[in-house]
Amino acid sequence: MSKNYKIETKCIQSGWHPGKGEPRVLPIYQSTTFKYDTSDQMGKLFDLEDSGYFYTRLQNPTNDTVAEKITELEGGVAGMLTSSGQAANYYAVFNICESGDHIVSASTIYGGTFNLYGTTMKKMGIDCTFVDPDLSYEELEKAFRPNTKCVFAETISNPSLVVLDIEKFARLAHEHDVPLIIDNTFATPINCRPFEWGADIVTHSTTKYMDGHAMCVGGAIIDSGNFDWEAHAEKFPGLTQPDESYHGVVYTKKFGKGAYITKATTQLMRDLGSIQSPQNAFLLNVGLETLHLRVPRHCENALKVAQYLENNDRVKWVNYAGLPSNKYYELAKKYMPNGTCGVISFGLKGGRDEAKAFMDQLKLAAIVTHVADARTCVLHPASHTHRQLSEEELIEAGVQPDLIRFSVGIENAQDIIADLEQALSNI
């Protein structure tokens, strides 16, 4: 696969490269196990002396092909699929952290990830400091500790739609000798490639725009290969010291730029097993083939909807970085000049109760937990996805009680606006 191909071509051509007489379309390797002729052949796989497949919990050809495609779209060196975006964000951090360590995370991240880092991983002995991503460099620096192991943020936060200053966070992370991990789900590599701005590791909930059709849950982790683990060996013993659970292998010595993903596969996936099914990976690949067509349409429609909402008397506020009035407009132009995403947040003058009444009147847009697929959908985070958070935590996460998350699909924009119009007139 030529590295010089444009991203549109990579959406179609990357990953699967059939040989003579092989299927033109990526096959589904729907098998838990793979046969070998001799015991020594299998043994070399378990010793990491040879590459190949032996059990789908660790690796599967369909999954690896799709991971390779996403890796090429992001411009990384290695990647892996997981069973969900949550699993991807957990593995990405846990791969380099252990009990007694600390991470710094943007406070505006998705509520499930906020709870993962702030509650669940805290029970594992990993502490997290949440920071307002809009704070100054000097204020953000105060969050770091000697035992900080990584920084985590989202390119565009869900659902508060904060646009991250990637270069600022990359500089912060690197001056403290730790990697920057960015969840690039909403922007996708079509609109933003965080590695080009200094990020080290990228995660995705492939459930969203990458799948694009709300058919299968999945996640991905992509490594840029740029972070020098050996230069900070004392901070990352899991990568730079012998792994006694796997024959004493030192991942950085044996696998070089592939060390991070190899460890995540041979250790975390082996022990925790959050593998994506080959069937789901196949469906994900179908979605990826049209990613470059769908994302621009999402953005085009979303801008029209945001402009309509901004000029509607029933609407109190609108948050969409594509609007010149938005506080993140210039930052979005820098990092995502071709558009941000298809998700808008807004509030009505009648507050939380009116928001719920409005949603009940929608006909084209469906009330669902999902976001970022072909069909327009809507959610009230304070009542649904972020329901477990207190009022204080909601505010810290950038979620106002009246916030409506509106995911604009790829239907005709005028039909979407007409649905909003009738719903607003009927509350």
Side-chain angles (χ1 to χ4, degrees):
M1 179 69 192
S2 173
K3 297 292 185 183
N4 296 322
Y5 281 146
K6 304 299 184 186
I7 199 164
E8 295 87 350
T9 303
K10 289 180 178 180
C11 282
I12 305 293
Q13 295 287 349
S14 289
W16 177 243
H17 308 295
K20 181 180 178 180
E22 291 185 331
R24 184 69 181 90
V25 175
L26 171 67
I28 305 171
Y29 286 83
Q30 195 65 47
S31 179
T32 61
T33 50
F34 302 84
K35 175 187 174 294
Y36 290 88
D37 293 331
T38 70
S39 177
D40 284 346
Q41 288 174 346
M42 180 71 81
K44 286 182 179 180
L45 296 176
F46 277 94
D47 284 342
L48 304 180
E49 295 296 336
D50 202 358
S51 60
Y53 301 94
F54 51 88
Y55 198 54
T56 285
R57 189 178 79 238
L58 279 85
Q59 289 178 289
N60 176 284
T62 306
N63 293 26
D64 282 1
T65 298
V66 180
E68 181 185 337
K69 176 176 282 190
I70 298 173
T71 299
E72 291 197 21
L73 292 176
E74 285 288 7
V77 299
M80 66 183 292
L81 299 186
T82 61
S83 58
S84 68
Q86 277 293 88
N89 286 338
Y90 173 55
Y91 278 31
V93 170
F94 196 58
N95 199 36
I96 51 177
C97 290
E98 57 187 46
S99 180
D101 287 342
H102 171 253
I103 65 176
V104 174
S105 173
S107 61
T108 50
I109 60 174
Y110 164 63
T113 313
F114 187 99
N115 197 67
L116 169 66
Y117 294 158
T119 302
T120 302
M121 291 187 72
K122 188 172 183 179
K123 295 175 182 177
M124 301 175 183
I126 299 169
D127 201 11
C128 180
T129 297
F130 292 103
V131 295
D132 180 347
D134 291 338
L135 289 175
S136 68
Y137 187 91
E138 291 71 25
E139 286 296 315
L140 289 168
E141 269 202 308
K142 296 175 183 177
F144 286 81
R145 304 175 188 172
N147 61 336
T148 300
K149 295 298 176 69
C150 67
V151 179
F152 181 89
E154 294 172 345
T155 318
I156 307 170
S157 64
N158 174 17
S160 54
L161 304 180
V162 171
V163 175
L164 187 74
D165 189 341
I166 302 173
E167 287 188 315
K168 178 175 74 174
F169 271 75
R171 181 184 159 206
L172 272 162
H174 297 157
E175 288 196 357
H176 290 85
D177 302 330
V178 299
L180 172 60
I181 304 173
I182 289 187
D183 184 329
N184 196 32
T185 296
F186 269 15
T188 82
I190 302 301
N191 282 346
C192 185
R193 284 157 55 99
F195 294 154
E196 296 175 359
W197 301 100
D200 300 291
I201 296 155
V202 160
T203 65
H204 284 277
S205 170
T206 61
T207 318
K208 310 304 189 299
Y209 288 120
M210 284 189 165
D211 169 275
H213 302 86
M215 290 191 296
C216 53
V217 174
I221 308 171
I222 310 299
D223 182 17
S224 69
N226 294 332
F227 192 82
D228 191 344
W229 307 103
E230 284 283 338
H232 315 292
E234 73 288 345
K235 271 187 173 287
F236 305 102
L239 285 163
T240 62
Q241 298 299 318
D243 179 0
E244 299 305 332
S245 76
Y246 221 115
H247 316 301
V249 64
V250 178
Y251 294 102
T252 51
K253 298 293 187 187
K254 192 171 182 68
F255 299 102
K257 288 184 178 292
Y260 177 87
I261 292 297
T262 301
K263 178 180 180 292
T265 302
T266 59
Q267 188 187 86
L268 298 189
M269 195 62 80
R270 174 197 66 191
D271 294 346
L272 300 174
S274 302
I275 193 70
Q276 187 168 146
S277 77
Q279 178 76 54
N280 278 12
F282 173 85
L283 293 171
L284 169 58
N285 189 60
V286 174
L288 288 169
E289 289 182 351
T290 60
L291 185 66
H292 63 294
L293 300 175
R294 291 181 287 103
V295 168
R297 179 59 178 264
H298 281 289
C299 294
E300 176 189 331
N301 280 358
L303 181 58
K304 291 176 181 177
V305 170
Q307 289 168 339
Y308 162 78
L309 290 169
E310 191 173 44
N311 293 308
N312 191 290
D313 291 338
R314 302 291 296 269
V315 178
K316 183 178 181 181
W317 58 270
V318 181
N319 183 16
Y320 186 66
L323 294 171
S325 59
N326 189 271
K327 66 182 290 188
Y328 298 109
Y329 181 76
E330 293 301 327
L331 206 57
K333 284 293 184 186
K334 173 182 176 178
Y335 293 118
M336 292 160 266
N338 296 322
T340 55
C341 67
V343 183
I344 299 167
S345 63
F346 64 96
L348 301 179
K349 290 180 179 177
R352 185 169 185 158
D353 291 338
E354 188 169 278
K356 293 166 72 174
F358 157 77
M359 288 167 57
D360 290 346
Q361 293 296 324
L362 291 166
K363 300 186 185 328
L364 183 149
I367 301 172
V368 297
T369 306
H370 202 240
V371 67
D373 69 63
R375 303 165 188 83
T376 296
C377 54
V378 66
L379 190 79
H380 183 237
S383 299
H384 305 134
T385 54
H386 290 59
R387 194 181 185 94
Q388 76 276 16
L389 301 184
S390 66
E391 288 286 325
E392 294 75 17
E393 287 174 329
L394 281 171
I395 300 301
E396 186 180 5
V399 180
Q400 299 296 326
D402 64 341
L403 184 151
I404 297 168
R405 185 183 72 182
F406 196 76
S407 180
V408 181
I410 56 175
E411 304 96 343
N412 183 282
Q414 292 307 311
D415 288 337
I416 301 170
I417 291 169
D419 190 36
L420 289 166
E421 180 71 37
Q422 66 82 23
L424 288 168
S425 64
N426 285 324
I427 55 175

